[in-house]
Amino acid sequence: MVAEICHLFKRSPHRPRPEIAFLRLLAEGRVAPLGPSADDYRRMAELVERYADLPLGGADASVVALAERLGVVRIATVDRRDFTVVRPSHVAAFELVPALSS
């Protein structure tokens, strides 16, 4: 997840400051990364298989699996395609941020 978050920061017009601040939060222990469990890996495999036509990769499948386990509804992403198609088990659809401009 840390790599995915750092990847999102690459799109920031203020880069590299937000990424540096995030990495410092990790180093100071003020933010703790969360890794997938064995059940999450099983769910990721199910998702990659079910959505092979996208193709949904392990990185996005891990976001879905962790969101399901933690009850997270709002996902920050610049890859809207996968997250608009995938149907999580705990809600009808994810709320994606940033919202699209009208």
Side-chain angles (χ1 to χ4, degrees), residues 2-55:
V2 171
E4 286 287 304
I5 292 168
C6 288
H7 179 73
L8 283 173
F9 285 132
K10 287 187 178 206
R11 294 177 177 255
S12 169
H14 306 290
R15 110 171 265 284
R17 288 187 308 259
E19 184 173 13
I20 292 166
F22 172 69
L23 292 170
R24 286 188 175 141
L25 288 172
L26 289 165
E28 295 165 4
R30 294 171 53 200
V31 173
L34 178 65
S37 68
D39 286 339
D40 294 329
Y41 285 116
R42 279 188 277 284
R43 178 64 174 146
M44 290 163 57
E46 291 171 7
L47 290 163
V48 170
E49 183 176 38
R50 180 178 302 155
Y51 295 100
D53 290 344
L54 283 179

Side-chain angles (χ1 to χ4, degrees), residues 62-85:
S62 72
V63 172
V64 174
L66 288 168
E68 289 175 342
R69 175 163 51 100
L70 299 172
V72 171
V73 175
R74 185 176 296 151
I75 302 289
T77 183
V78 293
D79 181 9
R80 302 183 76 83
R81 181 191 62 172
D82 290 354
F83 293 105
T84 55
V85 174

